[in-house]
Amino acid sequence: MNSVNRRPLPSRIERLSELAFDLWWSWNTVAREVFRRLDYPLWRLTSHNPVKMLDLVSDERLEEAAKDRAFLGIYDSAIEKLVGVRSGKGTWWPQRCPGLADISIAYFSAEFAVHQSVPLYAGGLGVLAGDYCKEASDLGVPLIAVGFRYSSGYFQQTISTEGWQVEAYNRFAIGETPLERARTPAGQPCTVVVQVAGEGIHVWVWLVRMGRVQLYLLDTDVEENPRWGRDLSATLYVGEREARLRQEIILGIGGVRALQVLGHNPAVWHLNEGHAAFVVIERIRQLVESGQSLEAALQTIRSTTIFTTHTPVPAGHDTFFIDKVKSQLSSYWGTPKEWHEALLELGLHDDGNGNLFNMTALALRGSGAANAVSQAHREVTRHMFAPILPVTNGNLQAITNGVHIPTWIAPAIDTLLERYLGADWKERHDDPDLWEQVFAIPDEELWQVRQSLKAYLLAFIREHARQRWTERQASAAQLAFGGTLLDPSALTIGFGRRFTEYKRPELIFQDEARLARLLNAPGRPLQLIFAGKAHPDDGDGKRSLQRIYRRAGDPRFAGRIAFVDDYDLHVAHFFVQGCDVWLNNPRKPLEACGTSGMKASINGVLHMSVADGWWAEGYTGINGWLIDPRERSGDWAEAESLYRVLEEQAVPAFYERDGSGIPQRWMAMVKQTMRTVAPQFSARRMVKQYVEQMYLPKVGGVRAASAVTQEGN
Ligand SMILES: *Cc1c(COP(=O)(O)O)cnc(C)c1O
């Protein structure tokens, strides 16, 4: 199968394959430059996929590159950096935690968005997990991540002429990705077996290298398995309950076993959302089988497990009938059997729909500490799980999410920051003082860059439409609705995220006549760009998408509304960097945190949002806008507030220009948003906080627990 060094490379540049097979390249400027320079047309053609590039690039080009001094200079520098990153030397972790060089931390998540070439994510949770791993690598945190290799990934979206979402599941071609078989310390390909519904399901383990961090991906699509077993890891978040339960059994139980077979013995086990909560069951089972009492085993597991909950939306918390769980696990237990029932009771919770096996309840009861992902979300979670929280001693913390700055910063903004904040600004980016320097950037320069980023976005949208036309002869109307009529000088509002009811993609259409006036204002028009996928089972989300698509074709809106299909990491980059305003209007308090607005803000795109999730903490009064209907509430009141903010604040600030054509008031806000958001809502601040508040107390806990045992002896 797939292995590093698939094709002989000139010896002077033979480590190109090592670089291509370590996704660290994707967030390092020098490493990216290596592949851009190697073959720029191929870089574009493959949507930035070095593994594919190394297959396609011609021998002549490789020979030429191997003799090109300038190329070799950046190649050598990238390789040297990669070696340094893998060792973790000189990073934050060894300084902060001397003496903990040998430990590892396991991080379980059902999805990881690491790069567009590895489609193993559906939305924000996956992007967060991917950003978390990248930042852990940058900080030298010894993280080992565990997830799934979904053989069909998440679906690719196209839109029919009627505006209906069409889903295509393309099999994931492992040979075009940096996946390799993970190997045991003895050099064998790693496979584990998990008993599900009386059948031993074989699970292959793949490795994705991410600098200092290893990401292991479980895969049941292997020959030894029955058809239903092979399909278990086919797609993310299967709707069918039994299949979902089986997936989660594989993730939790298979994940623990995989790490053990690979020779890892994590000091802390971090469950990122409830999907992986069977980790708790498997670890307790092992301890009980080795002779510990259930009570003692539970204590040990709690002292080394932490849990992050990510959503207050009930559908985000998986529940199953207890009998179903028992039957799936019937052949899993060894002897003795008395304690199975007691163990499964850890998952029972009545959320108003009867006593069900609830993955969040299991994760909370199996963890010694838990956290929510913003201050507001902590309060909501406290209320939702009030009967269970005493288990964690009420220890529910709030650690607000953040975004990985090197991943989300636009190259043109990066260059500007290098000039005005210092060439090493990325090394110090979570230091708020550093950001005072953004005021030194001349308005004209920053405005120029902002304009060029909008131009990239519109060029990208045209290219996207051109592809649709080439592939499917999309109609002229479809090309127009896809954004080819957009105007680079108009105030551009972006809305890109999963299409789901609580995010209210249609809020801005509450008063269509008023919106039409805004879009058509002579000399100061507004335009709206939407993107996002609805879950395949979410009919409401799809109908909402369809209504927006139809409005794109409504002449009242004059071609100033567009819907760009197939939102993914690649599209998201252009969106959060290229719009002028980023709109976020979820139904409070359902957005636990939200991260797309952070990505926009660090690039100087102004955030216009209700005070939910992170914006309740991030809004300072001068770094963006608040949609706030004061004492009133509900869709109409909030839409009214949104229109007022647009009419009275955003539109005037954008269109008021000085003698050189610069919107000065606007630029002052752009600088405020970059200054306040970048350091505080970076993944760097977030990962450091997890280490300080969640990991280090647990590591202390392990040492204390083993000391107690020794005294007992
Ligand atoms: C950041 C991101 C999200 C999350 O967006 P929210 O507005 O926080 O829900 C979803 N999808 C992609 C591709 C992203 O990059």
Side-chain angles (χ1 to χ4, degrees):
M1 297 264 338
N2 199 36
S3 66
V4 184
N5 283 325
R6 289 178 304 172
R7 166 187 185 174
L9 295 167
S11 61
R12 178 65 179 84
I13 52 172
E14 68 186 359
R15 295 181 81 178
L16 269 182
S17 57
E18 214 175 307
L19 201 56
F21 277 82
D22 193 320
L23 275 175
W24 168 83
W25 70 259
S26 70
W27 71 93
N28 181 273
T29 318
V30 178
R32 272 205 308 263
E33 195 56 23
V34 170
F35 294 108
R36 285 170 64 99
R37 294 233 193 152
L38 180 65
D39 193 327
Y40 187 67
L42 266 186
W43 168 257
R44 294 283 303 272
L45 183 78
T46 61
S47 292
H48 309 178
N49 182 340
V51 172
K52 254 166 127 170
M53 284 182 71
L54 288 190
D55 262 354
L56 298 171
V57 65
S58 69
D59 289 331
E60 295 73 42
R61 178 60 198 132
L62 286 169
E63 291 301 336
E64 193 182 27
K67 295 193 196 87
D68 173 348
R69 285 263 195 93
F71 179 81
L72 293 175
I74 50 170
Y75 166 82
D76 288 340
S77 150
I79 297 293
E80 190 189 317
K81 285 210 167 85
L82 174 62
V83 172
V85 161
R86 285 184 176 167
S87 77
K89 281 208 189 82
T91 54
W92 174 79
W93 170 271
Q95 287 167 29
R96 175 62 188 86
C97 318
L100 294 181
D102 52 338
I103 72 158
S104 62
I105 294 148
Y107 181 82
F108 280 71
S109 179
E111 50 173 318
F112 287 90
V114 290
H115 187 253
Q116 62 251 18
S117 61
V118 189
L120 304 176
Y121 61 94
L125 180 68
V127 180
L128 179 89
D131 277 12
Y132 196 93
C133 293
K134 293 174 186 178
E135 189 58 51
S137 173
D138 292 347
L139 289 172
V141 177
L143 199 76
I144 324 167
V146 181
F148 258 117
R149 198 286 300 202
Y150 299 101
S151 50
S152 299
Y154 200 51
F155 68 92
Q156 288 179 304
Q157 179 197 53
T158 51
I159 309 297
S160 76
T161 42
E162 289 78 44
W164 196 245
Q165 168 174 297
V166 179
E167 295 121 26
Y169 289 90
N170 294 331
R171 277 184 69 83
F172 174 135
I174 289 182
E176 297 178 355
T177 70
L179 267 64
E180 349 166 356
R181 280 300 294 279
R183 296 193 176 268
T184 64
Q188 297 303 311
C190 175
T191 306
V192 296
V193 178
V194 179
Q195 291 290 330
V196 184
E199 191 98 37
I201 297 297
H202 293 251
V203 184
W204 274 22
V205 186
W206 299 91
L207 167 65
V208 181
R209 297 176 195 271
M210 301 179 69
R212 176 98 168 99
V213 170
Q214 292 110 40
L215 166 60
Y216 293 110
L217 300 174
L218 311 180
D219 184 357
T220 65
D221 188 14
V222 303
E223 252 173 38
E224 292 90 335
N225 290 332
R227 190 69 250 170
W228 65 264
R230 298 189 70 151
D231 288 344
L232 278 183
S233 63
T235 58
L236 271 103
Y237 304 133
V238 286
E240 207 266 305
R241 299 316 296 168
E242 185 170 79
R244 174 78 71 97
L245 171 60
R246 287 170 167 174
Q247 256 186 352
E248 296 186 351
I249 289 172
I250 299 283
L251 179 61
I253 296 170
V256 171
R257 293 183 185 173
L259 290 185
Q260 290 167 339
V261 171
L262 290 163
H264 296 293
N265 180 20
V268 180
W269 299 69
H270 184 171
L271 310 178
N272 186 48
E273 199 47 296
H275 308 114
F278 281 110
V279 162
V280 168
I281 301 271
E282 169 64 2
R283 291 183 64 221
I284 294 179
R285 185 196 64 80
Q286 291 187 3
L287 291 180
V288 172
E289 226 158 57
S290 75
Q292 281 199 23
S293 71
L294 183 57
E295 254 322 292
L298 182 57
Q299 281 317 316
T300 308
I301 296 315
R302 276 184 188 151
S303 70
T304 51
T305 308
I306 68 157
F307 169 54
T308 304
T309 179
H310 281 271
T311 181
V313 179
H317 299 265
D318 279 327
T319 54
F320 304 103
F321 292 117
I322 182 74
D323 286 346
K324 299 279 181 199
V325 180
K326 282 184 190 160
S327 69
Q328 294 301 322
L329 291 180
S330 58
S331 57
Y332 154 75
W333 311 103
T335 48
K337 291 205 187 295
E338 315 80 68
W339 47 274
H340 304 168
E341 298 266 336
L343 188 44
L344 289 180
E345 275 175 18
L346 288 175
L348 289 182
H349 176 56
D350 189 345
D351 61 1
N353 295 310
N355 215 14
L356 295 168
F357 189 83
N358 180 311
M359 297 299 280
T360 305
L362 174 62
L364 282 169
R365 292 203 186 97
S367 300
N371 74 288
V373 293
S374 71
Q375 302 286 342
H377 178 223
R378 171 167 55 182
E379 296 318 307
V380 180
T381 306
R382 223 195 267 289
H383 182 73
M384 274 179 88
F385 290 98
I388 299 177
L389 284 172
V391 174
T392 55
N393 300 320
N395 185 4
L396 180 71
Q397 310 213 26
I399 301 181
T400 305
N401 288 338
V403 296
H404 185 241
I405 302 276
T407 295
W408 292 104
I409 202 85
I413 298 275
D414 183 7
T415 308
L416 209 54
L417 295 176
E418 283 182 354
R419 187 143 10 107
Y420 291 96
L421 271 60
D424 64 341
W425 76 270
K426 283 205 226 55
E427 315 298 317
R428 300 184 288 139
H429 74 248
D430 61 334
D431 173 6
D433 290 341
L434 173 73
W435 290 89
E436 294 301 327
Q437 287 303 316
V438 295
F439 295 113
I441 307 176
D443 283 350
E444 309 78 67
E445 276 189 58
L446 187 52
W447 174 244
Q448 276 281 318
V449 166
R450 291 283 343 131
Q451 294 285 93
S452 71
L453 291 170
K454 185 153 61 172
Y456 288 156
L457 167 64
L458 299 192
F460 171 78
I461 287 175
R462 277 193 302 279
E463 200 50 43
H464 197 80
R466 189 194 313 280
Q467 265 176 25
R468 292 295 181 250
W469 187 78
T470 318
E471 289 160 7
R472 301 185 287 115
Q473 283 72 57
S475 70
Q478 284 177 303
L479 299 187
F481 307 166
T484 49
L485 296 179
L486 295 173
D487 170 0
S489 61
L491 173 55
T492 304
I493 301 186
F495 183 102
R497 51 178 64 83
R498 286 184 303 117
F499 263 59
T500 175
E501 203 280 329
Y502 85 86
K503 293 188 186 261
R504 295 191 295 187
E506 292 181 277
L507 188 78
I508 199 168
F509 296 103
Q510 281 286 335
D511 183 342
E512 296 197 340
R514 193 165 175 185
L515 177 64
R517 282 196 295 280
L518 273 163
L519 297 184
N520 292 307
R524 25 168 69 189
L526 205 68
Q527 61 192 5
L528 299 175
I529 318 184
F530 291 87
K533 296 174 179 174
H535 187 279
D537 298 337
D538 180 4
D540 289 337
K542 290 185 189 178
R543 279 185 285 275
S544 171
L545 190 163
Q546 182 175 41
R547 286 189 297 267
I548 290 179
Y549 193 80
R550 290 195 167 145
R551 290 184 185 108
D554 183 335
R556 279 187 302 159
F557 301 124
R560 297 196 188 277
I561 296 174
F563 184 91
V564 178
D565 66 17
D566 209 26
Y567 194 61
D568 70 350
L569 282 179
H570 198 47
V571 180
H573 270 87
F574 287 95
F575 262 62
V576 299
Q577 295 170 358
C579 293
D580 297 308
V581 172
W582 194 252
L583 180 62
N584 181 51
N585 46 233
R587 193 183 304 287
K588 258 166 81 170
L590 295 179
E591 191 65 87
C593 181
T595 52
S596 61
M598 303 173 185
K599 302 168 195 166
S601 297
I602 62 170
N603 285 296
V605 174
L606 297 176
H607 198 218
M608 186 176 290
S609 171
V610 299
D612 202 12
W614 78 279
W615 198 234
E617 296 157 46
Y619 178 62
T620 62
I622 50 172
N623 63 347
W625 294 283
L626 195 64
I627 301 168
D628 176 14
R630 314 268 162 163
E631 300 78 49
R632 295 169 307 145
S633 64
D635 289 359
W636 267 101
E638 287 177 72
E640 157 77 20
S641 164
L642 166 58
Y643 297 130
R644 288 180 65 123
V645 171
L646 285 168
E647 291 161 352
E648 294 168 13
Q649 301 182 45
V651 173
F654 185 79
Y655 284 108
E656 262 168 41
R657 304 291 166 90
D658 68 7
S660 341
I662 311 288
Q664 287 186 348
R665 274 205 293 147
W666 186 274
M667 294 318 289
M669 286 182 90
V670 166
K671 289 176 185 175
Q672 286 293 348
T673 200
M674 292 169 71
R675 180 186 75 90
T676 53
V677 175
Q680 194 185 344
F681 298 97
S682 62
R684 176 150 302 179
R685 186 272 308 148
M686 166 179 72
V687 173
K688 283 183 176 175
Q689 232 182 323
Y690 274 95
V691 170
E692 302 283 355
Q693 288 173 227
M694 308 293 279
Y695 299 164
L696 291 182
K698 291 290 149 215
V699 177
V702 175
R703 308 242 146 128
S706 55
V708 172
T709 325
Q710 273 159 20
E711 273 167 30
N713 287 346

